[in-house]
Amino acid sequence: MVRGRTTKSLSYEILIFVPLPFLFYVTIKGMDKIIKTISENGAFRAYVLDSTETVRTAQEKHQTLASSTVALGRTLIASQILAANEKGDTKITVKVLGTSSLGAIITVADTKGTVKGYVQNSGVDIKKTATGEVLVGPFVGNGEFLVITDYGTGNPYHSMTPLVSGEIGEDLAFYLTESQQTPSAIGLNVLLDTNDKVKVAGGFLLQVLPGAKEEEITRFEKRIQEMPAISTLLESENHIEALLSAIYGNEPYKRLSEEELRFQCDCSKERFLNALSSLPKSDLEEMRDEDHGAEITCQFCQSTYHFDEKDLEELIRDKS
């Protein structure tokens, strides 16, 4: 069955120049984005993300319940952060291989701002009775945080660290510190409304750059320790600006770029047809004769592709 398709409103700002005295600004809200910044002294860099539509689209495509939504959303944001550090046509795959109820969480992001992903068990919905807080870590469990970096050369690079909490943000920070030897502060979360639909999602990355002085590091560490909770910052009217203010305080910084983010799967009927062509001839004949076709659903976006007897017959002929 093909699930309902999400309709997203794009968001960008258009500045239209016309002969004076007319000047119009058109703003369409709803676009996810990542803003890359660097402190003016060159000692730190920070990324801040609004990933609300990305996670909302994932929830709608996979029909995830509360804990599954938050866990998948945090992993999608983690992938977006890692991909933002790459160049060219690099793709980043994050696999959260936990041992508890949620099962594996797998996401893939690229340098163009697109990300896709799924959680093995979409139906986990556990909250604290007293507060209603959505629980994630215990239902990710122990396991591994695996990152696969594919530079397009045919030899992807694998790097893995143990899960330290299952909360995803802490696991990403540990991965960056241990695997990439880059001291990092991470904050990311997904907040749900009273109907358990995505209300807001986003996060930040702060990294120490080579040459940072000890007193500068100490000052930023103190600021990060005193920051409001990431959930509080995301609740702000403009959480992107709230995150930047919390990170830098009165420290001067430069905005390097602002780039669009979105959930987008690259699956296609042609791609799955190629996958079917790799099956043995006997399997294809069985599908044709017994099932009178084949149906494949993409794990990443739940799109379903139908192949009739004619499609299978062509594949069988190619193998003859």
Side-chain angles (χ1 to χ4, degrees), residues 250-300:
N250 294 322
E251 301 272 351
Y253 68 92
K254 301 175 184 177
R255 296 186 184 224
L256 301 177
S257 66
E258 180 175 320
E259 300 162 19
E260 181 183 354
L261 301 172
R262 62 198 175 278
F263 186 104
Q264 181 175 304
C265 189
D266 53 356
C267 67
S268 65
K269 186 169 184 176
E270 181 181 7
R271 199 170 220 179
F272 283 115
L273 192 64
N274 290 335
L276 282 174
S277 69
S278 67
L279 295 176
K281 182 179 178 182
S282 57
D283 289 354
L284 294 171
E285 289 173 335
E286 184 178 332
M287 290 179 191
R288 179 197 61 189
D289 299 336
E290 297 184 12
D291 301 325
H292 306 291
E295 181 178 280
I296 301 176
T297 299
C298 175
Q299 283 184 300
F300 286 100

Side-chain angles (χ1 to χ4, degrees), residues 58 78 110 114 121 133 145 170 185 240 249 282 291 300 302 320:
D110 62 25
T114 67
N121 186 350
E133 178 189 351
F145 189 90
E170 294 173 13
I240 287 285
S282 57
D291 301 325
F300 286 100
Q302 294 300 304
S320 300

Side-chain angles (χ1 to χ4, degrees), residues 74 133-138 140 164-171 188:
R74 289 178 183 175
E133 178 189 351
V134 178
L135 297 177
V136 172
V140 171
V164 294
S165 70
E167 298 291 346
I168 312 303
E170 294 173 13
D171 303 306
L188 48 87

Side-chain angles (χ1 to χ4, degrees), residues 86-244:
E86 301 297 334
K87 297 179 180 179
D89 295 324
T90 301
K91 289 188 176 182
I92 296 288
T93 299
V94 173
K95 295 186 178 183
V96 178
L97 305 174
T99 57
S100 195
S101 308
L102 285 162
I105 309 170
I106 300 176
T107 59
V108 182
D110 62 25
T111 56
K112 299 176 180 63
T114 67
V115 67
K116 61 182 181 180
Y118 68 92
V119 56
Q120 194 170 7
N121 186 350
S122 62
V124 181
D125 181 6
I126 310 293
K127 304 181 183 73
K128 286 185 178 179
T129 304
T131 63
E133 178 189 351
V134 178
L135 297 177
V136 172
F139 303 99
V140 171
N142 300 318
E144 306 295 335
F145 189 90
L146 172 63
V147 177
I148 303 171
T149 306
D150 185 355
Y151 299 106
T153 60
N155 296 297
Y157 175 73
H158 293 64
S159 183
M160 186 164 58
T161 52
L163 292 170
V164 294
S165 70
E167 298 291 346
I168 312 303
E170 294 173 13
D171 303 306
L172 174 57
F174 184 76
Y175 166 80
L176 289 170
T177 301
E178 292 295 310
S179 180
Q180 297 190 2
Q181 300 296 304
T182 308
S184 306
I186 300 283
L188 48 87
N189 208 355
V190 177
L191 305 184
L192 307 180
D193 63 20
T194 55
N195 295 315
D196 285 345
K197 300 301 182 183
V198 175
K199 180 180 179 182
V200 62
F204 73 88
L205 163 72
L206 173 64
Q207 289 187 313
V208 179
L209 297 178
K213 298 176 182 178
E214 194 61 40
E215 60 268 24
E216 293 172 330
I217 296 173
T218 301
R219 191 166 64 248
F220 266 82
E221 284 179 343
K222 184 174 184 295
R223 185 173 298 118
I224 294 300
Q225 290 168 359
E226 294 174 350
M227 275 180 68
I230 181 67
S231 56
T232 301
L233 293 169
L234 290 176
E235 290 273 21
S236 304
E237 184 176 348
N238 186 336
H239 62 265
I240 287 285
E241 295 303 323
L243 286 166
L244 287 170

